[in-house]
Amino acid sequence: MGRHSCCYKQKLRKGLWSPEEDEKLLRHITKYGHGCWSSVPKQAGLQRCGKSCRLRWINYLRPDLKRGAFSQQEENLIIELHAVLGNRWSQIAAQLPGRTDNEIKNLWNSCLKKKLRQRGIDPVTHKPLSEIENADENKNMNGSSPVSGSGTGDEDKSVSGELNLLRPEIHSKTRGLQSPTQQQPTIPISDCGGAAAAGSLMSTNKDFLLDRFGGNCHQSPTDLVGHLNFPLHQLNYPAAAASTSPADGRISTNSIPPLWYGSGGGKPFDINSDFSSPAATGISLPASFFSNNYKPASVGGGGENSPPPSFNRFWEPAAAGVPPSSNNNSSSSGRSSSFFDTAAIFSWGISDAEKGQAQDEIKWPEYLTSPLLSASLQNQTQLYSNEIKSESQLLPENSAGGMWIHGGGQQEPQPTTTTLQQFSDLSCPKDFQRLTAAYGHIN
DNA sequence: AATATATCCAACCGCCTTAGC
DNA sequence: TGCTAAGGCGGTTGGATATAT
């Protein structure tokens, strides 16, 4: 296989995208959806390969992207997820609404790895560096080959256990057992029932988690609702909610509420707040999710200041006087996707028929490893998937004003054009400012 | 002020998987 | 069953920018 065929073609532009190209692509996808990516550049009048268009859309033009700096919570979540998932950036990104795998990968490589090392934590194994070094020394003294359990570089993938996941013969043998590289005591998840486990910090056996709740797990929404008593185990990763001590730069776990993983890992939650208050932000769509000017809508929205078409179903302009969100706590702004809300959606928020339809439509991602997380994320994912789906269901341009077909077949008149400037006002002002700086002006 | 170095991040590359034939 | 095109993913690169010397 190797190189994509379209890349062989001559005269294809490479490198940074110009504002004109962005506008062409944006306009095309807004009107028609992307459909087959390989045909997009031709239809949109772009001298790019389809792959490049896809990447540009996913990483930059997509309207549901959240731009700007990562919050501390997001960084912590990435670290936690990386401890469980390794370099599975797309899976990590799937749990951070509005963030792309590329963005997270860059953050990790440029920032988070460094931070972890500064805190004395190996970014590959997520173990204390001292422990790694000791193991290293022991191995050297024993003359054993440095196959596993050592090193701080990314090159030694066996350390993280990821390699084992790719080797079924090893994986099956270590199911529920310790892999050679995971020497800390691990209590089988089935034994980690709720508060009974509160006193003990437990390790996350990556192999076990991914095997049991990852790859082959196809949880249905109703299954998830039925998992209210799913086993929990407490997160042992101190950075999860830790604050950095200004004194020595090391993380402190003092006064940190215990965080709990669902059985499959995933986003930890504060068992006190998340279970005591439906409004708590267990897993929420950040208020800043759609830039600053939109808040979750019931249905519809639009109007003079409408967001790009795909926003209209779920997002509407925030009420006048509502300040732009300044943090990622969405508990006070509109719809929360916390666990209870999500459960409501699947169990009593929709009819049985709708549930069935939803289940049919949903391709349960294999990477949704936690029942809690799965439920919540599925809620979010469905929002997005509706948007993406609808892109492919667009009517041709000759439809008056362009019609946007919803998953349910309803149609809404859409603006015929969404200029780059409009888009920039709505979605990612920071980046368009950058563009403006880079290219002079837009329009 | 000029140069060197570090950092960031958008985009590319190559591989793997999947779908369609 | 095998082939091909396309989608998707993770690793890597290279240009732009920031910071240090």
Side-chain angles (χ1 to χ4, degrees):
Chain A
M1 291 295 284
R3 210 168 188 191
H4 201 270
S5 60
C6 65
C7 298
Y8 289 113
K9 294 177 183 173
Q10 300 297 313
K11 298 180 184 176
L12 291 184
R13 269 179 59 86
K14 290 169 72 175
L16 295 178
W17 281 63
S18 70
E20 291 75 23
E21 287 178 304
D22 278 341
E23 180 158 9
K24 279 182 182 176
L25 181 60
L26 178 66
R27 191 175 287 166
H28 176 81
I29 294 180
T30 300
K31 281 186 181 177
Y32 307 113
H34 59 74
C36 175
W37 280 112
S38 60
S39 61
V40 164
K42 187 179 177 184
Q43 294 169 354
L46 291 164
Q47 301 294 315
R48 298 268 181 176
C49 72
K51 216 170 177 177
S52 181
C53 293
R54 173 184 162 270
L55 210 61
R56 183 65 177 171
W57 173 256
I58 288 173
N59 288 335
Y60 194 80
L61 294 175
R62 220 175 56 186
D64 58 353
L65 285 179
K66 180 167 80 177
R67 313 300 300 197
F70 281 76
S71 69
Q72 190 59 51
Q73 291 104 314
E74 285 177 309
E75 289 189 4
N76 288 339
L77 179 56
I78 291 167
I79 293 170
E80 296 157 20
L81 291 170
H82 187 272
V84 177
L85 296 168
N87 292 359
R88 294 179 176 86
W89 305 116
S90 64
Q91 296 180 24
I92 293 173
Q95 313 207 12
L96 285 118
R99 300 296 189 183
T100 69
D101 54 354
N102 209 30
E103 211 176 358
I104 292 169
K105 183 169 56 181
N106 283 334
L107 178 75
W108 179 263
N109 287 327
S110 67
C111 181
L112 295 184
K113 274 166 85 173
K114 203 183 303 173
K115 280 187 182 178
L116 284 180
R117 286 202 181 99
Q118 285 172 354
R119 295 171 180 179
I121 295 169
D122 178 50
V124 179
T125 63
H126 292 261
K127 292 179 181 176
L129 282 170
S130 56
E131 186 181 323
I132 305 292
E133 287 163 3
N134 288 341
D136 219 7
E137 286 175 12
N138 290 340
K139 282 197 170 59
N140 289 338
M141 292 190 58
N142 294 336
S144 60
S145 67
V147 170
S148 64
S150 66
T152 57
D154 295 340
E155 70 281 357
D156 189 2
K157 296 204 172 178
S158 61
V159 170
S160 69
E162 290 171 46
L163 201 55
N164 288 350
L165 291 172
L166 302 175
R167 297 167 59 188
E169 73 280 8
I170 293 177
H171 190 195
S172 59
K173 287 175 186 172
T174 56
R175 181 174 303 173
L177 302 172
Q178 288 297 291
S179 78
T181 60
Q182 294 167 320
Q183 297 171 357
Q184 67 269 55
T186 299
I187 300 174
I189 287 175
S190 57
D191 295 334
C192 304
S200 61
L201 292 176
M202 297 176 190
S203 302
T204 302
N205 184 320
K206 229 187 287 183
D207 288 2
F208 181 75
L209 292 179
L210 289 172
D211 179 62
R212 180 170 173 178
F213 298 103
N216 297 319
C217 175
H218 299 281
Q219 299 267 9
S220 73
T222 48
D223 288 341
L224 298 174
V225 174
H227 273 74
L228 284 176
N229 61 344
F230 66 90
L232 305 174
H233 64 140
Q234 195 170 0
L235 182 69
N236 71 341
Y237 202 87
S243 57
T244 302
S245 162
D248 58 3
R250 288 179 175 271
I251 50 177
S252 160
T253 55
N254 291 341
S255 305
I256 298 170
L259 295 176
W260 293 83
Y261 269 123
S263 302
K267 186 184 184 305
F269 51 91
D270 180 336
I271 199 166
N272 297 316
S273 62
D274 286 331
F275 277 100
S276 61
S277 166
T281 56
I283 302 160
S284 304
L285 288 170
S288 57
F289 182 35
F290 285 122
S291 185
N292 294 331
N293 300 321
Y294 293 90
K295 67 180 178 62
S298 49
V299 163
E304 188 181 352
N305 205 17
S306 294
S310 60
F311 283 28
N312 285 358
R313 289 189 61 207
F314 300 100
W315 302 87
E316 64 187 8
V322 175
S325 61
S326 56
N327 57 46
N328 290 309
N329 184 345
S330 66
S331 61
S332 61
S333 60
R335 179 187 194 146
S336 163
S337 301
S338 69
F339 170 72
F340 285 96
D341 287 349
T342 305
I345 286 172
F346 289 131
S347 61
W348 52 82
I350 58 176
S351 67
D352 288 346
E354 288 168 328
K355 264 189 280 189
Q357 186 185 356
Q359 289 181 43
D360 288 339
E361 291 178 354
I362 294 169
K363 285 184 177 179
W364 290 95
E366 292 185 347
Y367 50 73
L368 293 181
T369 55
S370 156
L372 265 185
L373 192 56
S374 300
S376 185
L377 282 170
Q378 199 55 54
N379 178 23
Q380 299 173 15
T381 306
Q382 195 175 7
L383 299 187
Y384 310 147
S385 65
N386 281 338
E387 309 307 332
I388 300 304
K389 221 185 302 176
S390 63
E391 289 169 8
S392 61
Q393 294 170 338
L394 285 169
L395 291 175
E397 186 178 14
N398 56 9
S399 300
M403 301 296 281
W404 198 262
I405 303 180
H406 292 164
Q410 292 178 311
Q411 298 178 359
E412 274 186 14
Q414 296 297 325
T416 49
T417 60
T418 302
T419 68
L420 197 59
Q421 184 59 52
Q422 286 172 320
F423 182 63
S424 69
D425 291 341
L426 298 165
S427 184
C428 38
K430 171 192 157 191
D431 299 275
F432 278 84
Q433 284 169 6
R434 226 196 250 175
L435 273 178
T436 306
Y439 293 98
H441 69 281
I442 300 173
N443 276 342

